[in-house]
Amino acid sequence: MENVRRRSKLTIVGAGSVGATTAYACQIRGVAQTIAIYDLDGDKARAEVLDLNHGVQFTPMTEIIGGNDIEVCRDSDVIVVTAGAKQKPGQTRLDLAGVNVAMTLDLVPRLLAVSPDAIVLMVSNPCDVLTYAALKASGLPRNRVFGSGTVLDSARLRFLLAQHAGVALGNVHAYIVGEHGDSEIAVWSSANISTIPVREWSRHGGNPLTEEDLDQVHHETVHAAYEIIQGKGATWYAIGLSCTRILEAVFNDEDRVLPVSSLLTDYKGVSDVCLSVPTIVNRAGAGTPLDIPMNDDEVGDLRSSADAVRGVGRSLGL
Ligand SMILES: NC(=O)c1ccc[n+]([C@@H]2O[C@H](COP(=O)([O-])OP(=O)(O)OC[C@H]3O[C@@H](n4cnc5c(N)ncnc54)[C@H](O)[C@@H]3O)[C@@H](O)[C@H]2O)c1
């Protein structure tokens, strides 16, 4: 009898630090039944596949395949793009735009030719510019092409806030919105610890969180990647886990609120740019961005962030 069951399939494009770590985290958490790794460097892709396969005994059953033939990507449910140039010490994410936009415009149509029903998650930098480029190159509706955006940055923010406040990270609710990059914004006006606004935290007996502390936490969040790149050349563990969380939200149809990067249209006056704001993520991809409370300064900063990201895209003909 013909087997009519379909296996869930995740393709990861790029077998570098981010791609391999994302594959590893997804394997451990059993995100998809098949994980394919595609890279121009076939030896690298096949080596990562071998190494991951040798751990299958210890993880949920996963078929792991890969190479430099685009056919390995065929019939994927979700494609994660982690390929391309990465920051050298001192470079900003926006410095990567030229080369990685060109790669995206070439790559995305070829990926969708073999997986026409896939959802595309952009991770390579500059994440927001590349998400916009991928959306344009794909011709798909906005929900099907989105970026990992500030999911990682928000995790960094929460980690630092939890440390300053002396409270478990799971009790901290705070978002970074805007660009995944230097113009990103901490939405302090709605950040809270167990419903207590962060600015009132010390009045309830917690460690004080002064304006200087909040500025420091924001500064460290924005500059975290630079520090890691200076020390070990690239960042990979936390982005691998961030991607895994996003992918679980898609594969498990979770309706999870995550600050992913998607096309905004008249969002607090911001249009025609991909940026991160809290958004419901499920099997259909990125839903409508949530109109979360922000004060006037935060909205102003979001608009400035939009101008910066849109400007880079325009300068490259997007
Ligand atoms: N969004 C985020 O939060 C976040 C976090 C960390 C890194 N990144 C970005 O992820 C990207 C990858 O970083 P990395 O450290 O893994 O880099 P890396 O150099 O380790 O790996 C990149 C891989 O991409 C492959 N590649 C290049 N062009 C390709 C193409 N056209 N098709 C298929 N494969 C191709 C290369 O062969 C290489 O193996 C960078 O742009 C980096 O800035 C994003």
Side-chain angles (χ1 to χ4, degrees):
M1 199 175 91
E2 193 185 345
N3 183 359
V4 291
R5 284 183 306 158
R6 244 197 113 262
R7 297 173 62 84
S8 55
K9 180 169 179 179
L10 165 68
T11 283
I12 297 171
V13 181
S17 311
V18 175
T21 313
T22 301
Y24 181 56
C26 284
Q27 175 186 350
I28 289 173
R29 293 185 61 91
V31 169
Q33 290 167 302
T34 298
I35 298 176
I37 301 177
Y38 167 70
D39 197 296
L40 286 181
D41 183 341
D43 289 342
K44 175 92 167 78
R46 284 185 288 273
E48 294 293 3
V49 167
L50 268 181
D51 201 0
L52 292 166
N53 269 326
H54 297 163
V56 166
Q57 179 182 342
F58 313 108
T59 69
M61 277 306 300
T62 310
E63 176 192 37
I64 305 169
I65 58 175
N68 58 355
D69 182 348
I70 195 103
E71 278 298 319
V72 300
C73 311
R74 186 169 287 281
D75 291 335
S76 300
D77 297 295
V78 185
I79 298 171
V80 186
V81 177
T82 75
K86 63 180 175 191
Q87 289 164 271
K88 299 190 180 74
Q91 267 191 322
T92 73
R93 295 177 180 90
L94 293 177
D95 290 335
L96 304 172
V99 56
N100 282 353
V101 163
M103 177 199 72
T104 301
L105 296 177
D106 167 65
L107 194 55
V108 167
R110 290 196 294 118
L111 292 166
L112 288 169
V114 292
S115 291
D117 299 325
I119 284 173
V120 178
L121 175 66
M122 297 301 296
V123 180
S124 308
N125 279 318
C127 185
D128 307 289
V129 178
L130 298 195
T131 301
Y132 189 88
L135 186 63
K136 294 291 159 187
S138 72
L140 291 175
R142 63 168 291 285
N143 58 299
R144 288 213 11 225
V145 182
F146 62 101
S148 58
T150 57
V151 174
L152 171 59
D153 315 65
S154 297
R156 288 172 173 156
L157 182 80
R158 290 174 189 213
F159 168 74
L160 291 166
L161 264 182
Q163 277 200 323
H164 273 264
V167 69
L169 193 150
N171 296 127
V172 177
H173 305 281
Y175 286 106
I176 292 280
V177 301
E179 178 195 357
H180 167 59
D182 295 351
S183 68
E184 66 191 28
I185 303 121
V187 189
W188 294 130
S189 63
S190 59
N192 69 81
I193 300 170
S194 284
T195 76
I196 299 169
V198 283
R199 291 189 164 105
E200 294 173 24
W201 172 243
S202 61
R203 276 198 264 137
H204 293 261
N207 290 349
L209 281 171
T210 62
E211 288 305 314
E212 291 73 40
D213 290 331
L214 298 185
D215 286 347
Q216 177 68 22
V217 164
H218 181 232
H219 179 86
E220 283 182 38
T221 302
V222 174
H223 293 88
Y226 293 107
E227 192 178 345
I228 298 169
I229 290 167
Q230 195 67 45
K232 65 172 195 169
T235 74
W236 54 79
Y237 293 120
I239 182 61
L241 289 166
S242 304
C243 289
T244 304
R245 170 51 60 84
I246 298 167
L247 292 165
E248 284 175 325
V250 175
F251 278 101
N252 301 335
D253 200 19
E254 288 179 0
D255 291 326
R256 185 179 288 275
V257 176
L258 293 165
V260 292
S261 181
S262 68
L263 183 69
L264 300 184
T265 303
D266 200 15
Y267 182 91
K268 299 185 192 294
V270 171
S271 290
D272 199 27
V273 66
C274 292
L275 282 186
S276 291
V277 295
T279 302
I280 291 182
V281 179
N282 56 29
R283 190 63 191 82
T288 306
L290 301 178
D291 189 16
I292 62 162
M294 289 188 205
N295 66 27
D296 290 347
D297 286 346
E298 290 160 355
V299 171
D301 290 344
L302 182 70
R303 289 179 185 161
S304 303
S305 187
D307 291 341
V309 171
R310 200 188 297 101
V312 173
R314 292 283 185 274
S315 73
L316 294 166
L318 294 175

